[in-house]
Amino acid sequence: MRSRLMTILCVLGSTIILSGCEINNAQEDHVSASITKTTPAPVIDTQVTTDKNTKPSPKSRPKDDPIYPPAEQVIAWHANQCGGFKVTPVKQVYLGEKELKSFFKFMCLNTSNDPNTVMTKLLKLDLAYFWPDDIKQYLWLQKQQVTMQINAKKEQQALNNKMQETLSSLATIEQQLLLREETKE
């Protein structure tokens, strides 16, 4: 869509510039002819300059705009990669399909074990394409889920550390109590 808009703007701009040049050249010819009616004005070949501007570009333009998958298809791929959902095969090839499927497979296997790596891959995937809004929103939801997983893992680690400290303190207290009992006897 953006490339189409840029192409239209370029064509309109060049048309305005070329038509302005032709009008100016015609006015200059008319003015110079009226000033010097006895001597003919030299003929300027403008055909050469306009031919260069009207020739097609050597770059081939893509025939169609890229087609992104609909959000329903993206969700179906995610559910399929995590298991338990069958996806009906689609003949249409979508932009980013392979990347989305491989990311969802990686995400399903590694979210609980290594959410930081999943988040890194998710951020790269999010920036890889100009996703439509519905897919952007779905990826945003996935970011929120992975962020919650990262925070839960941090909280679990903090809780484990606190529990280790408590167990260590309890072991120290137990040793002190055993020493007191031995000294009393």
Side-chain angles (χ1 to χ4, degrees):
M1 183 70 178
R2 180 176 269 164
S3 63
R4 206 178 268 173
L5 180 62
M6 291 301 293
T7 305
I8 291 170
L9 288 175
C10 289
V11 169
L12 286 175
S14 62
T15 304
I16 290 171
I17 291 170
L18 288 176
S19 63
C21 292
E22 289 175 7
I23 290 172
N24 286 341
N25 287 340
Q27 286 178 351
E28 288 175 5
D29 290 343
H30 178 67
V31 169
S32 63
S34 64
I35 292 175
T36 56
K37 290 189 177 189
T38 56
T39 58
V43 177
I44 300 171
D45 188 16
T46 59
Q47 187 66 25
V48 175
T49 58
T50 57
D51 278 347
K52 289 179 185 175
N53 294 331
T54 58
K55 287 184 181 176
S57 173
K59 292 181 181 177
S60 63
R61 203 171 144 239
K63 294 181 181 182
D64 293 328
D65 285 338
I67 299 173
Y68 290 101
E72 299 84 23
Q73 189 67 42
V74 172
I75 295 168
W77 290 336
H78 189 180
N80 184 349
Q81 293 301 321
C82 290
F85 186 78
K86 300 290 181 194
V87 177
T88 56
V90 180
K91 293 179 183 178
Q92 178 72 40
V93 176
Y94 295 109
L95 186 65
E97 177 178 353
K98 184 177 81 172
E99 291 86 355
L100 283 168
K101 285 180 178 179
S102 66
F103 168 73
F104 288 140
K105 187 171 188 173
F106 179 80
M107 182 180 177
C108 293
L109 296 174
N110 297 309
T111 298
S112 59
N113 298 335
D114 191 10
N116 291 322
T117 307
V118 173
M119 181 60 90
T120 303
K121 288 188 178 253
L122 179 57
L123 292 173
K124 285 181 184 176
L125 178 69
D126 189 26
L127 297 174
Y129 296 99
F130 293 108
W131 299 111
D133 287 339
D134 51 357
I135 296 175
K136 274 270 202 211
Q137 290 171 356
Y138 188 71
L139 293 176
W140 180 84
L141 288 172
Q142 297 309 311
K143 286 180 201 173
Q144 299 307 309
Q145 178 188 0
V146 173
T147 301
M148 287 176 25
Q149 192 74 24
I150 289 170
N151 292 339
K153 192 163 183 133
K154 286 179 183 176
E155 289 173 7
Q156 182 67 38
Q157 186 62 41
L159 188 63
N160 286 345
N161 291 343
K162 183 74 171 172
M163 194 165 67
Q164 280 300 112
E165 288 176 19
T166 305
L167 287 174
S168 177
S169 297
L170 285 174
T172 305
I173 292 170
E174 184 180 17
Q175 285 178 350
Q176 289 174 355
L177 288 173
L178 287 173
L179 286 175
R180 280 187 188 171
E181 285 182 14
E182 287 179 5
T183 55
K184 285 183 182 178
E185 294 177 358

